[in-house]
Amino acid sequence: MKKITRLLFLAGAFMFTAFTMAQTTVTGTIMDAEMAAPLPGANIIEKGTTNGVSSDFNGYFTLITDSTEGEVEISYVGFGKVLVKFSGNTDLGNITLTSDNSLEEVVIIGSGIIDLAEDRKTPVAVSTITANQIREKAGSSDLPEVLKSTPSVQSVQAGAFGDGQMFLRGFDQTNTAFLLNGQPINGMEDGKMYWSNWAGVLDVANAVQVQRGLGASKLAISSVGGTVNIVTKTIDRKEGGFVQQMVGNDNYIKSTAYYSTGVNEKGWSLGVLFGHWQGDGYVDYTQGQGQTYYISVGYQPNDNHALNFMLTGAPQWHAVAGGNKISTYLDPEKNDGRGRRYNGWSFTGVESPNTLHGGVYPGGRNIYHKPVANLSWDWTINEKSELSTVLYGSMGRGSFAQSIGSVDYARGSNNNHDWYGLVTNYNNQLTENLNFNVGADVRLYHGFHFRDIREFITVDSVSASSGYSGGETYYLTEAGGINPWNVFFNPNTDHSQRFGYDYEEQINYAGIFTQLEYSKDQLSAFFQGALSNQSHVRTEFLNTSTPGQGEEGGKINNVGFNLKVGAAYEITDMHKVFVNAGYYSRQPFHDTMYKDDRGSNELLDPEVENEEITGFEAGYQFGGEKIQANLNLYHTTWGNRTLIGSNGEEGDDFLSYQTFGVKQVHMGVELEVFTQPLNNVRVNGFLSLGDWQFKDNATQRTFDNDGAEVGEGIEVEIDGFNVGGAAQVNAGINASWEFLPRVSVDGAWNWYNDMYSTGSLTQATIGLPSYDMVDAGFSYKMLVGKDDRNSLQFRVNVNNVFDEVYLESVNGNTAASSNPEENYKGVNTSNNGRFGYGRTWNTSIRFNF
């Protein structure tokens, strides 16, 4: 027995010795190429395995492997991956990482919630804007301006700070899903996006990914044009920050400071950003100012759990630019010689304590403060499964303050809300070839809308009458002001100080989603499905049978779903093809469901039905060493739409319109090319060819100020009309050249063609003249401090270098006149329009530490 025990012990010792002798040790130090500094927390993984470690606070790592030779894959947040070979025990020395041009490894917290195209092997039509590109190109612009050099995207600046609009494949922002770290941020009531509410998002963005068409998102969001994923900072692995000062045209000033502690030895981290901006605006009397704040607290107790709390907001106010007839912009006598800078919505000769320009009170002013908070938790359950959850909330407070009468007072149209939600996703690698995930999306939304007084200008009170007083006259004597901080902390909660309209709505949403993805050898395929229920109820406070008490209106539940399938085949390492298809049954927006969205609790009869969206797309990807290209074809049918509108009048003259059964078909082809002919030269380009038209006819109904239908529904002949608002054909070329170390110039040319007006559906849209623009930039980075670990960055942007004069948008259907003097480049000047900005500029200096 002793001999057997001794033999077993010796055999075990021999096997253990052989095992340990077969192990290989790989060491090295990870460095930041630009900063010449170590990178703590970099990921080092043996290629083809799950064996990995992280670099320590000095960038050093030790990896133990059973293999005698192989490769290690090294990655870090915001840097490109590096593959390094090893053979036997190897010291790899210093391994430098440089800033990357992809989204790989950007997301640390909430990675299972944020649906990025890189996370799925079956491709979609996608473009990614990196942190470095955002930092250089954003300047004083909104996000749509940063995205305009991607296929099928057009930015419309709309005349004032934060009022920009983005079109994607011909669909406006209400039909493009915007996500912030996995959180839906389109308006729950109407799908709208107001960039003034998100003025600081580019200051904290790590990357922005535009997924055109069906996209990769698993959420039950049923986007039509596509999905825009905005990925912000969460946890920074290393300590550091920046201070930046920017100035620009028309007295624009922006100051920003950011600091991150990095992750300490106990797993805690803190990041804080604060900024302030102000300016006069390119268009006359569109001054504005605001702040940006961002706080992120992270905690990683161990390798299996990571938590992060984020709070961000952008309180601001800005005056707006009113549109006008094209003829007004062209006639110096009508526009005071201001041309395209003319603000058709301004009043003169009235003093106000809040007027920045003496003697001029703006016709309209936007005031808003919308803090957003979320708590993210990533849990790595085991090697094959993980759970990601984001709990979020936002509270929006603010209004549109419009000058009334002979500038007697500023009337506030308030759009406030409380919004809470939860997104969770469980992912499991079922087998080597099969991945499964399932999740839930819950949103609870309470909106409250009313009119009140923002400022008294030439009067001390305003009289009104409503159901509050049984129809008797009452007086409004309190003003809410235009300071967004004060508006948020001291909102108007007194119903007796409201007039015009006063109602609330509760919108609750619950959805589940799932995805199954198969991948083996050159073939990959996926299936996605989502099912959701959305409930609506509206409560009226103004026009009620019992003065001062709310009356709840009709309730409705709408069930929606979507299905997406796709497959891809990798012909070789350089060639890949894919096809995707999807069908959405999307719930109608809240604002389209009532006879009058401002004054009636009554649902339309018959009730508004779900919209029906069918999408098909196919693509080819080429990946060479010096050139990469993406070719995409798409066909989207968007049917059973309901559109709303009004005649813009007030009181008894007010009429609202609902147009039912509207159908659009958008089809096109997109080509995107990336080249690097030299190590220090990049040249990229794109071409989008679209054909977007209304199909079949629709039915229009008219309702008066009390929500009663006027007459009978009429057939609206829209078949064959072109869809307006954005260029159906656009192209662009952009290039950058680093002609000296850390010194570069860049430029971009964008061209827009086949543009059409927007306006009444009862008349055909009219064609608009094409236009093109050139933007340019210059960058210089100076390494400073001990061991060149810090840097100073200088940046200059000039937009519309050649001061191109162009019609950016037209709202009207009046055909060209037979008298050439009444036309502008073929467009009748009696139509309302807006000219785009002329030459603008900004310059900044940034200290990174």
Side-chain angles (χ1 to χ4, degrees), residues 235-534:
I235 291 177
D236 287 320
R237 290 288 184 179
K238 62 177 182 178
E239 182 183 11
F242 69 84
V243 178
Q244 178 172 294
Q245 181 64 54
M246 179 185 296
V247 296
N249 56 280
D250 299 291
N251 297 316
Y252 182 81
I253 301 174
K254 181 179 180 180
S255 306
T256 312
Y258 171 75
Y259 172 69
S260 172
T261 63
V263 182
N264 65 22
E265 295 181 354
K266 295 184 178 180
W268 286 96
S269 64
L270 172 68
V272 179
L273 178 143
F274 183 79
H276 174 86
W277 66 269
Q278 64 183 54
D280 294 342
Y282 181 83
V283 177
D284 291 338
Y285 312 123
T286 55
Q287 66 275 11
Q289 65 179 33
Q291 294 78 43
T292 299
Y293 58 88
Y294 163 87
I295 301 172
S296 176
V297 180
Y299 178 54
Q300 296 174 286
N302 51 52
D303 292 339
N304 295 330
H305 296 275
L307 296 99
N308 188 81
F309 171 78
M310 184 190 76
L311 172 67
T312 186
Q316 60 80 42
W317 67 260
H318 69 272
V320 301
N324 219 307
K325 291 183 178 180
I326 299 172
S327 58
T328 300
Y329 292 103
L330 299 175
D331 188 344
E333 293 185 1
K334 295 180 179 179
N335 61 45
D336 300 325
R338 301 301 294 162
R340 54 187 158 174
R341 285 182 178 266
Y342 177 71
N343 189 343
W345 201 356
S346 61
F347 299 87
T348 60
V350 176
E351 298 290 343
S352 167
N354 293 310
T355 301
L356 293 185
H357 300 273
V360 175
Y361 194 92
R365 195 193 310 256
N366 178 288
I367 310 116
Y368 218 78
H369 186 182
K370 182 180 180 177
V372 176
N374 65 49
L375 177 63
S376 304
W377 172 37
D378 281 354
W379 175 23
T380 302
I381 301 171
N382 53 48
E383 293 182 355
K384 293 185 177 182
S385 61
E386 59 186 9
L387 177 69
S388 291
T389 303
V390 176
L391 177 67
Y392 63 87
S394 69
M395 298 176 66
R397 301 290 186 270
S399 70
F400 179 77
Q402 179 182 350
S403 302
I404 300 298
S406 300
V407 203
D408 297 328
Y409 62 95
R411 181 188 67 193
S413 299
N414 295 264
N415 296 297
N416 299 345
H417 74 255
D418 296 332
W419 182 353
Y420 307 100
L422 173 74
V423 182
T424 186
N425 184 41
Y426 170 75
N427 186 79
N428 192 304
Q429 189 70 40
L430 298 176
T431 69
E432 182 180 354
N433 307 116
L434 198 60
N435 182 272
F436 169 76
N437 68 60
V438 62
D441 174 13
V442 178
R443 311 170 206 170
L444 306 176
Y445 180 91
H446 180 207
F448 27 109
H449 310 271
F450 56 90
R451 279 182 171 167
D452 67 355
I453 306 299
R454 287 290 105 193
E455 290 187 288
F456 293 111
I457 303 172
T458 60
V459 298
D460 297 319
S461 64
V462 174
S463 63
S465 62
S466 74
Y468 296 140
S469 56
E472 298 295 327
T473 299
Y474 65 104
Y475 290 90
L476 307 170
T477 58
E478 298 178 8
I482 65 166
N483 185 315
W485 291 94
N486 185 61
V487 168
F488 180 81
F489 289 105
N490 298 286
N492 181 355
T493 59
D494 185 353
H495 288 280
S496 68
Q497 287 296 302
R498 301 176 181 180
F499 72 120
Y501 59 84
D502 184 8
Y503 66 94
E504 300 181 6
E505 71 244 325
Q506 185 72 38
I507 306 173
N508 295 334
Y509 179 99
I512 56 173
F513 54 87
T514 187
Q515 175 178 286
L516 189 65
E517 184 172 25
Y518 171 82
S519 177
K520 184 176 182 180
D521 300 328
Q522 288 80 30
L523 177 67
S524 63
F526 78 95
F527 166 81
Q528 284 185 10
L531 178 67
S532 61
N533 180 77
Q534 186 164 283

Side-chain angles (χ1 to χ4, degrees), residues 74 77 164 372 398 404-406 445 544 629 653 743 802 843-844:
I74 302 165
V77 176
V372 176
I404 300 298
S406 300
Y445 180 91
T544 63
D653 296 325
V743 183
F802 300 107
T843 182
S844 63

